[in-house]
Amino acid sequence: MSHMIKHDVPDDNEIHIEKKFVPKDLDIDKDVSWAQINKDVLRSLDRPRPIFWVIFFAAMALFSFGVYCEKYQYDNGLGVADLNNPQVWGLYIATFIFWIGMGHSGTLLSALLHIIHADWRKPIYRYAEAMTTFSLLTAALFVLIHLGRVWQFYYVVAYPNERWVWPNFSSPLVWDATAIGTYLTSSLLFLYTGMVPDLAICRDNATGARKKLYTFMSLGWQGTDRQWATFRVTYMTLACFLMPLAVSVHSIVSTDFAVSQNPGWHITSFPPYFVAGALYSGCSVIITLFILLRYVFRFEAYMTMPILNKLIKMTFAIAMVWNYLNLIEYSTVWYGANEIAKQQLLDKMTGTYAPVFWGMVFCSTVMPFTLLIKFVRTHLPTLMVVSIILNFGMWLERIQIITPTFGHSQYPWTWTSGWWPSWVQFGIVAGSFGWFTMLFMLYCKIFPTISMYEVKEMVHDQSKMLKAKGVA
């Protein structure tokens, strides 16, 4: 027993050795005052750097081009998108899965890190949750665009009807709409609930129309003991509810493919593969937005390099899990008895769509290893480029799941190996990125991107911990 007590309580020499060989930077400056936190975050709502407007109007121009392409397709029919049997999904469903994947990670990671009390999430979780909301809204657009006849969207909505002739309840597409609708509603509720104390701070410091908006949205928050107690329980309950829901959403999206008989899709590992891919692409976008918001809104004191470093490590770990599942998928096909699936895999690697396949391998499998280089992790412009390449690779991954399978499936008479998407599809996809960026930047201009009350808690806890260790 005496040995255990002696071992559990490190002496000064052990602490000194640990500090020397395992240096641990503080996630945030422990001396920043609570008033300064309020001032910095509220300033971001009024006076971001001028580049904010450059990004906003560039995104608006991109979105306008996407609207033009959609109108052109609406007026002339889906033929202008070159969508025909068997290539009926094209870039629309590939990009739909990409946006769903991006939306998957923000709220899920925020809820997970909240449950395990990871303090470093506090300065960054809110924009990640907002990213989820706007990604899901963008993904929903592709369901309508892909239909062509947008007024018939109710075919994918699960609603009761007397004749049982419209919604096909056995279709995974109906499960998709239900799961995504539930996840979007829950994510919005989670984002809004976490913002209420900060909206009260905004209310007390705003004037005019903004004051009316914040007064309405802060729900009469006064910060009483009863309100805080109710808030904590509600927020934790929502976080626990969102965990299984988030996993189920992308699992259900994967069943759109896994329940079919098409070669390359009928794979049992698709649900975890899709979930890992969603987390991977989402983490990459969180890094991109971290660097962007840190500069545009002058958040250098809160979105710090130690927090970014933790985010990079998490992204690398998830990238390795995704690569492992990717390898498992190809190995299953290669060593399996399904010759058609094997030929389809070879066609992916050597056929018309080989550039897409090898582009994905380079961007999503090779590029993550650059995160091991210290220069990449600490040089923000380089890191931003790497994070965008990772995301581009995950977009290619969605294309190589869909297009090669349609182009080289069970029956040779359906093969369309020379098919490529038309400019209309590319225009609408580009417009979706403009739409997402426009909504996201607008959100950051109106609502506090950093959780003020939780950053204050973080500063308080760090100071308390250091005092207990006798450091401060």
Side-chain angles (χ1 to χ4, degrees), residues 101-102 104 250 271-283 318 321-322 325 394 397-398:
M102 260 184 59
H104 191 87
H250 224 53
Y273 173 70
F274 267 54
V275 171
L279 287 171
Y280 180 17
S281 60
C283 283
I318 294 172
V321 171
W322 178 82
L325 290 170
M394 293 310 292
E397 184 251 356
R398 270 69 174 199

Side-chain angles (χ1 to χ4, degrees), residues 217-283:
M217 295 190 69
S218 58
L219 304 175
W221 178 268
Q222 296 297 324
T224 63
D225 291 347
R226 183 183 177 82
Q227 286 181 335
W228 275 113
T230 307
F231 171 78
R232 299 285 188 200
V233 172
T234 305
Y235 197 57
M236 180 59 83
T237 304
L238 282 171
C240 295
F241 170 72
L242 275 164
M243 290 288 294
L245 179 64
V247 173
S248 72
V249 170
H250 224 53
S251 300
I252 288 173
V253 172
S254 73
T255 58
D256 291 348
F257 303 89
V259 297
S260 79
Q261 295 295 321
N262 279 325
W265 289 2
H266 194 58
I267 299 169
T268 52
S269 64
F270 252 31
Y273 173 70
F274 267 54
V275 171
L279 287 171
Y280 180 17
S281 60
C283 283

